[in-house]
Amino acid sequence: MKNLNVGLIGGGFMGKAHSLAYSAMPMFFWPAPAMPVRHTIAEATDDLAAEAARRFGFEKSTADWRKVIEDPQIDVVDIATPNHLHAEIAIAAAQAGKHIICEKPLARTGEESKAMYDAVKDAGIVHMVAFNYRRTPAVALAKKYIEEGAIGRILNFRGTYLQDWSADPNSPLSWRFQKSVAGSGALGDIATHVIDMARYLVGEFASVNSILSTWIPDRPLQSGGADALGNVRGGDGPRGEVDVDDEVMTMVRFANGAVGSIEATRNGWGRNNFITFEIHGTEGSIVFNYERRDELQVCFANDGDDRRGFRTVYTGPAHPYGSGLWPIPALGIGYGETKIIEAHDFFKAIAEGTSVSPNFADGYQTALIDDAIVASAEKDAWVDVPRVAELAD
Amino acid sequence: MKNLNVGLIGGGFMGKAHSLAYSAMPMFFWPAPAMPVRHTIAEATDDLAAEAARRFGFEKSTADWRKVIEDPQIDVVDIATPNHLHAEIAIAAAQAGKHIICEKPLARTGEESKAMYDAVKDAGIVHMVAFNYRRTPAVALAKKYIEEGAIGRILNFRGTYLQDWSADPNSPLSWRFQKSVAGSGALGDIATHVIDMARYLVGEFASVNSILSTWIPDRPLQSGGADALGNVRGGDGPRGEVDVDDEVMTMVRFANGAVGSIEATRNGWGRNNFITFEIHGTEGSIVFNYERRDELQVCFANDGDDRRGFRTVYTGPAHPYGSGLWPIPALGIGYGETKIIEAHDFFKAIAEGTSVSPNFADGYQTALIDDAIVASAEKDAWVDVPRVAELAD
Amino acid sequence: MKNLNVGLIGGGFMGKAHSLAYSAMPMFFWPAPAMPVRHTIAEATDDLAAEAARRFGFEKSTADWRKVIEDPQIDVVDIATPNHLHAEIAIAAAQAGKHIICEKPLARTGEESKAMYDAVKDAGIVHMVAFNYRRTPAVALAKKYIEEGAIGRILNFRGTYLQDWSADPNSPLSWRFQKSVAGSGALGDIATHVIDMARYLVGEFASVNSILSTWIPDRPLQSGGADALGNVRGGDGPRGEVDVDDEVMTMVRFANGAVGSIEATRNGWGRNNFITFEIHGTEGSIVFNYERRDELQVCFANDGDDRRGFRTVYTGPAHPYGSGLWPIPALGIGYGETKIIEAHDFFKAIAEGTSVSPNFADGYQTALIDDAIVASAEKDAWVDVPRVAELAD
Amino acid sequence: MKNLNVGLIGGGFMGKAHSLAYSAMPMFFWPAPAMPVRHTIAEATDDLAAEAARRFGFEKSTADWRKVIEDPQIDVVDIATPNHLHAEIAIAAAQAGKHIICEKPLARTGEESKAMYDAVKDAGIVHMVAFNYRRTPAVALAKKYIEEGAIGRILNFRGTYLQDWSADPNSPLSWRFQKSVAGSGALGDIATHVIDMARYLVGEFASVNSILSTWIPDRPLQSGGADALGNVRGGDGPRGEVDVDDEVMTMVRFANGAVGSIEATRNGWGRNNFITFEIHGTEGSIVFNYERRDELQVCFANDGDDRRGFRTVYTGPAHPYGSGLWPIPALGIGYGETKIIEAHDFFKAIAEGTSVSPNFADGYQTALIDDAIVASAEKDAWVDVPRVAELAD
């Protein structure tokens, strides 16, 4: 088992999740494909970085992410920053020959994403974009059923990602509401996860037809760069403009003839992390709700008429990734497990010299879909989605 | 309490449901606004009609629906036939001065619907279209919360009506798959119920953008006129073309600025009568699933942060129509109750000389929405929905 | 099809439910085994009886239930009174040669029940006790699976009946809280339904071990005999003693070696008509919740390891009683349907000259179980349950 | 922040869970009360121990757990072995002055537990027994509501722990089926978690009345000591006797007058980790199901009659432990989080020199309850539960 030194850039929510994954991956998947070594973490200042290193178990820290890129001991660069920094860091890391995992969305636009994609292709390194939710064991089980043909030809897909952390008009104007930093709002932040799962489970998008809505036009300015996700109310201070979408609705035509709809909002009171999909095929159906992520519901048409119904399958050792996780179902898949599996598959690809999915081609393709959604909403019309060449049918 | 003589045209599934309603309405709502008398039932032949009279408790029977219209003793005409007969019967009944309740959809097209609407307006009688699902107590409770402002301004609506009774390619080509009889497929048959609830709860539609899909192009020909709803397989005999939609997806812009999506299919394995909606407002959310129709889920933003969540409210005596129904919640609201309430409200309007909703104006408006959905799907574009004059803002 | 004249005694909640059943039964099950004719209804006074006749569709009315018994035109006596009148009426009806359906529990005690049972046996008439919940289609489906051996040998049963209508200390002292009228509290009122289902699905009880609790020792006196089920608060007036149980818990040893537990309360805030059971067998499990009564959950051990889970089966045409009910699942089974099925099976037994279950032997057996539960709670010990002779293994 | 060196004895399922907790605790709770250092891990052989050290991130390894006890650098001993070793190790560790966390159940019997309890009291160290499920945030939220009086006086508790991993008669005879190693079966293994939660939420047990059942009398012998939890079938080889319970049912009288029932089985097909409780109070109810552990259901009696129902509260930053966990609810609480919180509270107690609950007094008390359950089942009678002196009212 080889050691791989990780340089993690960003010590926020995602920095925590990724640190957990590096620490826990060999505990779950043993023997590990390679041993992650938490080598260096970068944060905004020396103090923050030093604290993050202690907290997250890194050997070194730095206030300059370029130091991570330049360090010849670093094998893997992990980009867990706000979106506007992804491209610059990733391109530099690729040029330095590092393997890269980048938080989603890949970048703010298709154009930025293309530059990143081109860079990693040129560099010949292993690259991954962190759409972790497709690695929920229940989602991987859905994929398995579909690949086995257990639900036949797919007719449609309906997906949602509903949250409520920004439903309060006084939740703060974090970077997630600023186009210059985030690129888009609910679209890039959360709808992309559903888009990624739709591509994973159904196939490529042919065209989209969309509505973008901004329900809360301004929010309290936030001191500091914290990403409070609505848990801290903003009070009476000055407010700044929101220039991204609060909600996205889109219809989809898939290249294979299936149809779909996707909706995402961060203003849906009572919904927390309500990532759902329902897929109807000619031979069955699959339903998933991340809020109850240990479970996948599947209906097989060929069950007897007197005993057909959605089966609630709790994922465990008999299901994808089950040998590495917990010994019986429903002990509990949490957010961490999705990241642990992600880290496993990324390290496995590095160790074996293969590629992994979703990678930067996927991230770039998702960005092209995002761009088409924005264009569709602006034009009030169906817009075709261009295809990344290597993903052509 | 006045007696009102009912002439019921059609002794199928809907004839049964309406007969139950007339019989049971005074048992539930007492004193009844007026007493329904099951006077005459019309069916295709004398024998079928006589049998239907015995089964459903009618005093007389006839094989000629015109006899019902012409009978001066009849106060109320109830149209429970396939869709293509609605217009002719309703117009004749209106001209004969009968009060009319007509099964949904009002007719096959907006044009037919307009003729019916014009006729009942001219006649000055009480008219109703039988979108019964909005009378599910939990749906009426949703309306109450919205009217109280309990969830604030409505931002969006997402509704589904998913069934699986036609998912088998060998389920028979009943009239519901023939445009000449039904007008449309899943659109008129089931999506209209969701459209009706969206209008009821959110408001009028401004424009739609839709996809219609026909997944199974032909089905086994059916002997007889029965409406087997897929429970009888069609076997190996000759097959006929399906010329209506199996599935409809539409996005909606409401006149008040809210946005929405509606999806309906009869090919969704594992879904039976999955009529759902989710509504997000600025102060809360409402979620409904008819498959669990005793329940309404509501989330109030102003509940404390440490105890906010969807409340599962079981409807009973404290909720709309509760005084007439069962003495405690969850004894069980079935399909019959929705029809009993419908009959109550219809008879109340007749007794009090008022109008009732949804009436033919609503049915006509829904038909205009249906036409716009069809046009949108043909044009691949947003299509504005015309407004029935009396429903203008 | 023969007509059978029904004399209904009692025009409250149960009178309503039974009237609905007589009216609707032929509408659902056609051809009906026999046609119920709503002949005479008895209530406390002439006026109440006349009003009930109009409301519930009976031809005649009387203030004297003995008139019903004595009327030679009456074929069927339906006892829908408070519990303390069951025995006297049933015995008189049996001696008059009427077929009898009696609301549950059969009587206040085992002793009263025995007298009733002896009377109907001597009379040779058809008798039934109205434990309607076992006729919920999903419960009948559970029975079918068990009889097919689909879940193997039964190991255990856990059942609940939880309500909250008496949780408020100011809900009124209706007859249901008075031992002289009701016999017992939650035990006879609601636990008996679960006991009936346990006997139906698992088998006879060998012994019980119980706790009875009375949480609210007095309640506001109620004017009139109404059965408000807690929906009307009692205010500040004088209060009377509650001398029955609010809650019962019991463990069960079944004769076949299975074990079980049953719990019932009318003081469980948030529970409405929460009749549930969970049964584990050597080859599978079954779970039911009447609050979601269209559904039965079943897990089959021999499903593949990668796709085993509870199937949520919505009952419809493919399931017990389905041919008579609604054309697709989830249109909605309500309380009425359980009573319509009950009426069907009762009339079928009369028409065919057979017996029906649960009958007075079952009602008597359940009363013996109730008595054993009371004795066990008093003695703080396991108590054996005697067996009605005709029910011996 | 002080470092505390941990010596972990046992590298199986629990060794993994605890290692995860030590690694992740500071990532979640920062600043950490003290920094856990994974110092030494003990396993059965040198090779196994060395492998475990690499996998779980420990600095050293040993095949002799006594080396851990004797090492003066070790501050904390973590006992994650099969049950029969708990007492010997814990007593030795206490005598060596180590702080101790011991997996549940504390020991095989009350007697063994008492010896352990006496040892830790004498030693004056911080001790904890790892009933982790009470640290599920939703369970801690239930505790908070109860302490606030939000559901009033507690009337009853019904809890279950249902699994199916041993339902197959060919699942192997692991140590969990051997009384000499495990002490008891479902009782000690899983029912104890429910007993712990009942004590935590309701209070001390006064007496119990129980049934123990062994459904599968023998199982295939297992090679090696692995704890396969039923995922590996045993095949056709020789079988050994099961001398512990497969299922336990008990009724409970609590010291404060509440009543309860608890049921646990490992043979309930379709149930995975179905730890549930339902608590009724005079002012509300609480319902929990660990299989959907992000959620707590609570019903408040004082909600309005037209909007009362169980609230499904997803735990997050506004709830117990929320500041340390994930930034919004439903990102996902897994098994790991319960152990991370447990580690946090244990280290906090050490750092602050306080005690923590559940500790060895609680573990001993639970063992006394277990013993009473066994005695009750043997005697077929209610058995009083003795009280550990320091837990007296």
Side-chain angles (χ1 to χ4, degrees):
Chain A
M1 235 172 318
K2 193 178 159 184
N3 284 349
L4 289 173
N5 290 328
V6 177
L8 171 61
I9 301 172
F13 164 26
M14 278 306 132
K16 168 178 163 179
H18 290 220
S19 299
L20 173 67
Y22 296 127
S23 164
M25 188 264 276
M27 299 183 189
F28 282 74
F29 294 95
W30 187 258
M35 291 296 283
V37 177
R38 283 166 282 162
H39 188 280
T40 306
I41 188 165
E43 250 295 345
T45 67
D46 282 338
D47 283 354
L48 284 173
E51 185 178 10
R54 179 119 210 251
R55 177 176 179 188
F56 298 126
F58 281 77
E59 298 167 6
K60 300 183 182 178
S61 62
T62 175
D64 179 2
W65 62 260
R66 291 180 190 280
K67 293 271 167 56
V68 175
I69 306 290
E70 291 160 7
D71 186 341
Q73 292 199 303
I74 295 288
D75 301 298
V76 169
V77 170
D78 181 333
I79 306 172
T81 65
N83 306 346
H84 64 305
L85 300 175
H86 290 187
E88 187 180 6
I89 299 173
I91 292 166
Q95 289 168 347
K98 311 300 189 192
H99 304 296
I100 307 174
I101 181 167
C102 181
E103 261 307 318
K104 42 55 57 184
L106 189 56
R108 289 171 294 185
T109 63
E111 194 180 348
E112 270 191 340
S113 301
K114 180 175 191 312
M116 296 165 76
Y117 170 64
D118 289 343
V120 297
K121 272 191 73 171
D122 288 350
I125 49 87
V126 177
H127 45 99
M128 188 177 204
V129 59
F131 288 117
N132 60 306
Y133 289 118
R134 70 151 78 172
R135 280 185 160 76
T136 310
V139 178
L141 180 60
K143 176 73 168 176
K144 172 174 175 277
Y145 289 151
I146 290 169
E147 290 191 338
E148 290 173 359
I151 66 163
R153 183 169 58 92
I154 293 178
L155 303 177
N156 58 46
F157 172 95
R158 59 185 58 73
T160 71
Y161 199 144
L162 310 180
Q163 302 185 316
D164 70 2
W165 59 265
S166 78
D168 188 321
N170 286 327
S171 66
L173 187 77
S174 80
W175 65 263
R176 294 180 193 266
F177 297 95
Q178 303 174 34
K179 188 172 183 177
S180 61
V181 185
S184 64
L187 173 58
D189 188 21
I190 56 175
T192 46
H193 277 296
V194 184
I195 292 168
D196 178 67
M197 289 194 287
R199 290 184 62 246
Y200 175 57
L201 297 171
V202 182
E204 294 297 347
F205 286 42
S207 57
V208 293
N209 200 329
S210 316
I211 302 174
L212 296 179
S213 308
T214 302
W215 300 118
I216 298 175
D218 52 60
R219 295 176 178 275
L221 292 175
Q222 196 182 18
S223 54
D227 185 13
L229 289 184
N231 298 309
V232 179
R233 299 298 190 277
D236 299 335
R239 302 173 75 90
E241 187 198 358
V242 172
D243 56 1
V244 298
D245 54 290
D246 284 327
E247 173 166 353
V248 55
M249 266 190 196
T250 191
M251 295 195 299
V252 181
R253 286 204 174 95
F254 291 91
N256 62 12
V259 296
S261 78
I262 294 173
E263 303 179 16
T265 179
R266 301 180 294 200
N267 286 27
W269 282 112
R271 296 308 188 192
N272 297 287
N273 209 39
F274 193 76
I275 311 170
T276 71
F277 57 77
E278 173 155 351
I279 297 173
H280 298 154
T282 54
E283 304 296 333
S285 297
I286 291 175
V287 172
F288 173 72
N289 175 0
Y290 182 83
E291 292 195 345
R292 292 171 169 177
R293 81 204 65 80
D294 291 77
E295 309 167 28
L296 185 72
Q297 291 189 71
V298 60
C299 174
F300 299 117
N302 64 5
D303 277 337
D305 278 355
D306 70 339
R307 56 193 66 200
R308 190 188 302 116
F310 278 100
R311 304 179 185 191
T312 301
V313 180
Y314 277 81
T315 57
H319 305 107
Y321 302 111
S323 60
L325 297 172
W326 299 108
I328 60 168
L331 279 171
I333 300 301
Y335 188 80
E337 278 79 355
T338 69
K339 286 293 184 183
I340 290 166
I341 295 170
E342 184 176 87
H344 169 266
D345 289 355
F346 179 51
F347 273 64
K348 185 161 182 281
I350 298 172
E352 299 180 353
T354 61
S355 68
V356 66
S357 175
N359 56 32
F360 280 25
D362 299 285
Y364 174 28
Q365 183 62 52
T366 295
L368 291 174
I369 294 169
D370 287 2
D371 285 354
I373 287 171
V374 171
S376 167
E378 284 169 359
K379 293 182 193 172
D380 267 356
W382 283 96
V383 169
D384 288 344
V385 177
R387 187 81 60 83
V388 175
E390 74 170 88
L391 300 174
D393 299 319
Chain B
M1 236 173 314
K2 196 177 156 184
N3 284 349
L4 289 173
N5 290 328
V6 176
L8 171 61
I9 301 173
F13 164 27
M14 279 304 134
K16 168 177 163 179
H18 290 221
S19 298
L20 172 68
Y22 295 129
S23 164
M25 187 265 275
M27 299 181 189
F28 282 74
F29 294 94
W30 187 258
M35 292 295 284
V37 177
R38 283 167 282 162
H39 188 280
T40 304
I41 189 165
E43 250 295 345
T45 67
D46 281 338
D47 283 356
L48 285 173
E51 186 179 9
R54 180 123 209 250
R55 177 175 179 188
F56 298 127
F58 281 76
E59 297 167 6
K60 299 184 182 177
S61 63
T62 175
D64 180 2
W65 62 262
R66 291 183 188 277
K67 291 272 168 56
V68 175
I69 307 290
E70 291 159 9
D71 185 343
Q73 292 198 303
I74 296 289
D75 300 300
V76 168
V77 170
D78 181 332
I79 304 173
T81 66
N83 305 348
H84 64 307
L85 299 175
H86 290 186
E88 187 180 6
I89 299 172
I91 292 167
Q95 288 168 348
K98 311 300 190 192
H99 304 298
I100 307 174
I101 181 167
C102 182
E103 261 306 319
K104 44 53 58 184
L106 188 55
R108 289 171 292 185
T109 62
E111 193 179 349
E112 270 191 339
S113 301
K114 180 175 191 310
M116 296 166 74
Y117 169 63
D118 289 344
V120 297
K121 272 191 74 173
D122 288 350
I125 49 87
V126 176
H127 44 98
M128 188 176 203
V129 59
F131 287 116
N132 59 305
Y133 290 118
R134 68 152 80 172
R135 279 183 161 78
T136 310
V139 178
L141 179 60
K143 175 73 168 175
K144 173 174 176 275
Y145 289 151
I146 290 169
E147 289 191 339
E148 290 173 0
I151 66 162
R153 182 168 60 90
I154 293 178
L155 303 178
N156 58 44
F157 172 95
R158 57 185 60 74
T160 71
Y161 199 145
L162 311 180
Q163 303 185 316
D164 69 2
W165 59 265
S166 78
D168 187 322
N170 286 326
S171 65
L173 187 76
S174 81
W175 66 263
R176 293 179 193 267
F177 297 95
Q178 303 173 35
K179 188 173 184 178
S180 61
V181 185
S184 65
L187 173 58
D189 188 21
I190 57 174
T192 46
H193 277 296
V194 184
I195 293 168
D196 178 67
M197 290 194 288
R199 289 185 61 247
Y200 175 58
L201 296 171
V202 182
E204 294 296 348
F205 285 43
S207 58
V208 292
N209 200 328
S210 314
I211 302 174
L212 296 179
S213 307
T214 302
W215 301 118
I216 298 176
D218 52 60
R219 292 175 180 276
L221 293 176
Q222 197 182 20
S223 54
D227 186 14
L229 290 184
N231 298 307
V232 180
R233 299 298 191 275
D236 299 335
R239 302 173 74 91
E241 187 197 356
V242 172
D243 57 359
V244 297
D245 54 290
D246 283 327
E247 173 166 353
V248 55
M249 266 189 195
T250 192
M251 296 195 298
V252 181
R253 286 204 174 94
F254 291 91
N256 62 12
V259 297
S261 77
I262 294 174
E263 304 180 14
T265 180
R266 302 180 294 202
N267 286 26
W269 281 112
R271 295 308 189 191
N272 297 286
N273 209 40
F274 194 75
I275 311 169
T276 71
F277 57 76
E278 173 155 350
I279 297 173
H280 299 154
T282 53
E283 303 296 333
S285 297
I286 290 176
V287 171
F288 174 72
N289 175 359
Y290 182 84
E291 292 196 345
R292 293 173 168 176
R293 80 204 66 81
D294 292 76
E295 310 168 27
L296 186 72
Q297 291 189 72
V298 59
C299 174
F300 298 117
N302 63 6
D303 276 337
D305 277 355
D306 69 339
R307 55 192 67 201
R308 190 187 302 116
F310 278 99
R311 303 178 185 193
T312 300
V313 179
Y314 278 81
T315 59
H319 305 107
Y321 302 111
S323 61
L325 297 171
W326 299 107
I328 60 168
L331 279 171
I333 300 301
Y335 188 79
E337 278 77 356
T338 68
K339 286 293 183 182
I340 290 166
I341 296 169
E342 183 176 88
H344 171 267
D345 289 355
F346 180 48
F347 273 64
K348 185 160 181 282
I350 298 172
E352 299 180 353
T354 60
S355 67
V356 65
S357 176
N359 56 31
F360 280 25
D362 298 286
Y364 175 28
Q365 183 61 53
T366 296
L368 291 174
I369 294 168
D370 287 3
D371 286 355
I373 286 172
V374 171
S376 166
E378 283 169 1
K379 291 181 195 172
D380 267 356
W382 283 96
V383 169
D384 288 344
V385 177
R387 188 81 60 83
V388 176
E390 73 169 89
L391 300 174
D393 299 320
Chain C
M1 236 172 314
K2 195 178 157 185
N3 283 349
L4 289 173
N5 290 328
V6 176
L8 172 61
I9 301 171
F13 164 27
M14 278 304 134
K16 168 177 163 179
H18 289 220
S19 299
L20 173 68
Y22 295 128
S23 165
M25 186 265 275
M27 299 182 189
F28 282 73
F29 294 96
W30 186 257
M35 291 295 285
V37 178
R38 283 166 283 161
H39 188 281
T40 304
I41 189 165
E43 250 294 345
T45 68
D46 281 338
D47 283 355
L48 285 173
E51 185 178 10
R54 181 122 208 250
R55 178 176 179 187
F56 298 127
F58 281 76
E59 298 167 7
K60 299 184 183 177
S61 64
T62 176
D64 180 1
W65 62 261
R66 292 182 188 278
K67 292 272 166 57
V68 175
I69 307 289
E70 290 159 8
D71 185 341
Q73 292 199 303
I74 295 289
D75 300 300
V76 168
V77 169
D78 182 332
I79 306 171
T81 65
N83 306 347
H84 63 308
L85 300 175
H86 290 186
E88 185 180 9
I89 299 173
I91 291 166
Q95 289 168 347
K98 312 300 190 192
H99 304 298
I100 307 173
I101 180 167
C102 181
E103 262 306 318
K104 44 53 57 184
L106 189 56
R108 288 171 294 186
T109 62
E111 193 179 352
E112 270 192 337
S113 302
K114 180 175 191 310
M116 297 166 75
Y117 169 64
D118 289 343
V120 297
K121 272 191 73 172
D122 289 351
I125 49 87
V126 176
H127 45 98
M128 187 176 204
V129 59
F131 287 116
N132 59 305
Y133 289 118
R134 68 151 79 170
R135 279 183 161 76
T136 310
V139 177
L141 180 59
K143 175 72 168 177
K144 173 175 175 275
Y145 290 150
I146 291 169
E147 289 191 338
E148 290 172 0
I151 65 162
R153 182 168 60 90
I154 294 178
L155 304 178
N156 57 46
F157 172 96
R158 58 185 58 73
T160 71
Y161 198 144
L162 311 180
Q163 303 185 316
D164 70 1
W165 59 265
S166 78
D168 187 322
N170 286 326
S171 66
L173 187 77
S174 81
W175 66 262
R176 293 179 194 268
F177 297 96
Q178 303 172 35
K179 188 173 183 177
S180 61
V181 185
S184 65
L187 172 59
D189 187 21
I190 56 175
T192 46
H193 277 297
V194 184
I195 292 167
D196 178 66
M197 289 193 287
R199 288 185 61 246
Y200 175 57
L201 297 170
V202 182
E204 295 296 348
F205 286 42
S207 57
V208 292
N209 200 327
S210 314
I211 303 174
L212 296 180
S213 306
T214 301
W215 301 118
I216 298 176
D218 51 61
R219 293 174 181 277
L221 293 175
Q222 196 182 20
S223 55
D227 186 13
L229 288 183
N231 298 307
V232 180
R233 300 297 192 275
D236 299 335
R239 302 173 74 92
E241 186 196 358
V242 172
D243 56 0
V244 297
D245 53 292
D246 283 327
E247 174 167 353
V248 54
M249 264 187 198
T250 191
M251 295 195 299
V252 181
R253 287 204 175 94
F254 291 91
N256 62 12
V259 297
S261 77
I262 294 173
E263 303 180 15
T265 179
R266 301 180 294 200
N267 286 26
W269 282 112
R271 296 308 189 191
N272 297 286
N273 209 40
F274 194 76
I275 311 170
T276 71
F277 57 77
E278 174 156 350
I279 298 173
H280 299 154
T282 53
E283 303 296 333
S285 297
I286 290 176
V287 171
F288 173 73
N289 175 359
Y290 182 83
E291 292 196 344
R292 293 173 168 176
R293 80 203 66 82
D294 292 76
E295 311 167 26
L296 185 72
Q297 291 189 73
V298 59
C299 175
F300 298 118
N302 63 7
D303 276 337
D305 277 356
D306 69 339
R307 55 193 67 201
R308 190 187 302 117
F310 278 99
R311 302 178 185 193
T312 301
V313 179
Y314 277 81
T315 58
H319 305 107
Y321 302 110
S323 61
L325 298 171
W326 300 107
I328 59 168
L331 279 171
I333 300 301
Y335 188 79
E337 279 77 356
T338 67
K339 286 293 185 181
I340 290 167
I341 296 169
E342 182 175 89
H344 170 267
D345 289 355
F346 179 49
F347 273 63
K348 185 160 181 280
I350 298 172
E352 299 181 352
T354 59
S355 67
V356 65
S357 175
N359 56 30
F360 280 25
D362 298 287
Y364 174 28
Q365 183 63 52
T366 297
L368 291 174
I369 295 168
D370 287 2
D371 286 354
I373 287 172
V374 171
S376 165
E378 284 169 0
K379 292 183 194 171
D380 267 357
W382 283 96
V383 168
D384 288 343
V385 177
R387 187 80 60 81
V388 175
E390 73 170 89
L391 300 174
D393 300 321
Chain D
M1 232 171 322
K2 193 179 159 185
N3 284 349
L4 290 173
N5 291 328
V6 176
L8 171 61
I9 301 171
F13 164 27
M14 278 305 133
K16 168 178 164 179
H18 289 220
S19 297
L20 173 67
Y22 296 128
S23 164
M25 188 266 276
M27 300 183 188
F28 282 74
F29 294 96
W30 186 260
M35 292 295 283
V37 177
R38 283 166 283 162
H39 189 281
T40 306
I41 188 165
E43 251 295 345
T45 67
D46 282 337
D47 283 355
L48 284 173
E51 184 178 11
R54 181 121 208 250
R55 178 175 178 186
F56 298 126
F58 282 75
E59 298 167 6
K60 300 184 182 178
S61 63
T62 175
D64 179 3
W65 62 261
R66 291 181 189 280
K67 292 271 166 57
V68 176
I69 306 290
E70 291 160 8
D71 185 342
Q73 291 198 303
I74 296 288
D75 301 297
V76 168
V77 169
D78 181 332
I79 306 172
T81 66
N83 306 347
H84 64 306
L85 300 175
H86 291 186
E88 187 180 6
I89 299 173
I91 292 166
Q95 288 168 348
K98 311 300 189 190
H99 304 297
I100 308 174
I101 180 167
C102 181
E103 261 307 317
K104 43 54 58 184
L106 189 56
R108 289 171 293 186
T109 62
E111 193 179 349
E112 271 192 337
S113 301
K114 181 175 192 308
M116 295 165 77
Y117 170 64
D118 289 344
V120 296
K121 272 191 73 172
D122 288 351
I125 49 86
V126 176
H127 45 97
M128 188 177 204
V129 59
F131 288 116
N132 60 305
Y133 289 118
R134 70 151 78 172
R135 280 183 161 76
T136 310
V139 177
L141 180 59
K143 176 73 168 176
K144 172 175 175 278
Y145 289 152
I146 290 169
E147 289 190 338
E148 289 172 2
I151 66 162
R153 182 168 60 92
I154 293 179
L155 304 178
N156 57 45
F157 172 95
R158 59 184 58 72
T160 71
Y161 199 144
L162 311 180
Q163 303 184 317
D164 71 2
W165 60 264
S166 77
D168 187 322
N170 285 327
S171 66
L173 187 78
S174 80
W175 65 263
R176 293 179 194 268
F177 297 95
Q178 302 173 35
K179 189 172 183 178
S180 61
V181 185
S184 64
L187 172 58
D189 187 20
I190 57 175
T192 46
H193 277 296
V194 184
I195 292 167
D196 178 67
M197 289 194 287
R199 290 184 61 246
Y200 175 56
L201 297 171
V202 182
E204 294 297 348
F205 286 42
S207 57
V208 292
N209 198 329
S210 316
I211 303 174
L212 296 180
S213 308
T214 301
W215 300 118
I216 298 175
D218 51 61
R219 295 175 179 276
L221 292 175
Q222 196 183 19
S223 55
D227 185 14
L229 289 184
N231 298 307
V232 179
R233 300 297 190 278
D236 299 334
R239 302 174 73 91
E241 187 197 357
V242 172
D243 56 1
V244 298
D245 54 290
D246 284 326
E247 173 166 353
V248 55
M249 268 189 194
T250 191
M251 295 195 298
V252 180
R253 286 203 175 94
F254 290 92
N256 62 11
V259 296
S261 77
I262 294 173
E263 303 178 16
T265 178
R266 301 180 293 201
N267 285 27
W269 282 111
R271 297 306 189 193
N272 298 288
N273 209 38
F274 194 75
I275 311 169
T276 71
F277 57 77
E278 174 155 350
I279 298 173
H280 298 155
T282 54
E283 303 296 332
S285 297
I286 290 175
V287 172
F288 173 72
N289 174 0
Y290 183 83
E291 291 196 345
R292 293 173 168 176
R293 80 204 67 80
D294 292 76
E295 311 168 27
L296 185 72
Q297 291 190 72
V298 60
C299 175
F300 298 118
N302 64 6
D303 276 337
D305 277 355
D306 70 339
R307 55 193 67 201
R308 190 187 303 116
F310 278 99
R311 304 179 185 192
T312 301
V313 179
Y314 277 81
T315 58
H319 304 107
Y321 301 111
S323 61
L325 298 171
W326 299 106
I328 60 168
L331 279 170
I333 300 301
Y335 188 79
E337 278 79 355
T338 68
K339 286 293 184 182
I340 290 167
I341 295 169
E342 183 176 88
H344 170 267
D345 289 355
F346 178 51
F347 273 62
K348 185 160 182 282
I350 298 172
E352 299 180 353
T354 60
S355 68
V356 65
S357 175
N359 55 31
F360 279 24
D362 297 286
Y364 174 28
Q365 183 62 52
T366 296
L368 290 174
I369 294 169
D370 287 3
D371 286 355
I373 287 172
V374 171
S376 166
E378 284 169 359
K379 292 182 194 171
D380 268 354
W382 283 96
V383 168
D384 288 344
V385 176
R387 188 81 60 81
V388 174
E390 74 170 88
L391 300 174
D393 299 319

